[in-house]
C-alpha cells in the first residue's frame, strides 16, 4: 500500500521574470511556500516511508539553492547582466521560462534525485497567498 507523508512550511524568497506574461517581464520577486509529499511503502524495519528528519534535510538542501536568487532559464543566462553595489546570485533552470510551474518541476526533480529516485514526489508551490502549482514527479 502506498502512503503519502509530507512536510510543509518551507519558503523561498526569489526573483524571476516571465516574458510570456505581459506586465511581468520585469524582474520581480515572490515568497514561494512549499509543501512536499513523498509516496512510498512503509519500510518494515523502520516503520517509516522515510524518516521526517531525513526528508526535512533533503528538502532544505534543495530549496536553499533557490533562496535569495534570481531564477534564470539556461537559454537566457548569457544575456543577463546585473551590476551594482550588491551581490547577484542566480539559479539556472533547464526550462524555457522561470514560471512557478517550471520552478516547481525543477525543485521536485532535485528532491526526487536526492532521494535516489526511491519515491514519487508531489510538490505544492505557492506564489503568494492565492496562486499555486502542484507538481507530481516523475
Amino acid at each position: 500500500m502506498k502512503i503519502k507523508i509530507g512536510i510543509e512550511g518551507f519558503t523561498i524568497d526569489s526573483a524571476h521574470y516571465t516574458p510570456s506574461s505581459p506586465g511581468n517581464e520585469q524582474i520581480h520577486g515572490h515568497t514561494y511556500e512549499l509543501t512536499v509529499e513523498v509516496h512510498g511503502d512503509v519500510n518494515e524495519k523502520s516503520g517509516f516511508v522515510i524518516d521526517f528528519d531525513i526528508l526535512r534535510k533533503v528538502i532544505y538542501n534543495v530549496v536553499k539553492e533557490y533562496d535569495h536568487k534570481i531564477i534564470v532559464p539556461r537559454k537566457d543566462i548569457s544575456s543577463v547582466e546585473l551590476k551594482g553595489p550588491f551581490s547577484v546570485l542566480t539559479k539556472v533552470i533547464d526550462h524555457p521560462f522561470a514560471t512557478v510551474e517550471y520552478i516547481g518541476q525543477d525543485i521536485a526533480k532535485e528532491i526526487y534525485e536526492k532521494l535516489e529516485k526511491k519515491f514519487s514526489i508531489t510538490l505544492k508551490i505557492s506564489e503568494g497567498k492565492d496562486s499555486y502549482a502542484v507538481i507530481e514527479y516523475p
Side-chain angles (χ1 to χ4, degrees):
M1 170 187 328
K2 294 286 182 200
I3 295 177
K4 293 180 188 180
I5 64 162
I7 299 179
E8 53 189 17
F10 284 91
T11 60
I12 304 167
D13 293 305
S14 299
H16 73 148
Y17 55 95
T18 50
S20 58
S21 176
N24 290 308
E25 57 276 332
Q26 75 281 0
I27 292 174
H28 62 282
H30 298 280
T31 297
Y32 297 97
E33 293 183 14
L34 293 98
T35 298
V36 179
E37 294 178 344
V38 298
H39 312 223
D41 296 314
V42 174
N43 178 317
E44 291 184 16
K45 292 180 183 176
S46 69
F48 298 130
V49 172
I50 184 172
D51 186 306
F52 283 122
D53 291 335
I54 293 168
L55 181 57
R56 191 171 282 106
K57 285 178 190 173
V58 167
I59 297 167
Y60 173 78
N61 286 327
V62 169
V63 300
K64 75 179 183 180
E65 295 301 316
Y66 296 80
D67 196 33
H68 290 87
K69 307 262 174 78
I70 299 171
I71 301 173
V72 179
R74 185 169 308 282
K75 69 178 178 58
D76 293 347
I77 197 65
S78 63
S79 62
V80 171
E81 288 185 37
L82 292 170
K83 293 191 227 178
F86 47 82
S87 108
V88 178
L89 302 174
T90 57
K91 172 64 178 171
V92 177
I93 61 172
D94 288 317
H95 297 284
F97 300 103
T99 59
V100 71
E101 294 89 344
Y102 284 131
I103 294 167
Q105 284 181 42
D106 210 57
I107 293 169
K109 178 184 177 198
E110 288 191 39
I111 292 169
Y112 175 75
E113 290 174 353
K114 297 254 188 232
L115 293 174
E116 300 174 349
K117 303 178 182 179
K118 293 180 182 177
F119 309 97
S120 57
I121 307 296
T122 299
L123 176 114
K124 179 179 179 182
I125 180 168
S126 299
E127 185 182 272
K129 296 202 180 283
D130 64 355
S131 305
Y132 64 89
V134 176
I135 292 90
E136 296 182 5
Y137 194 90

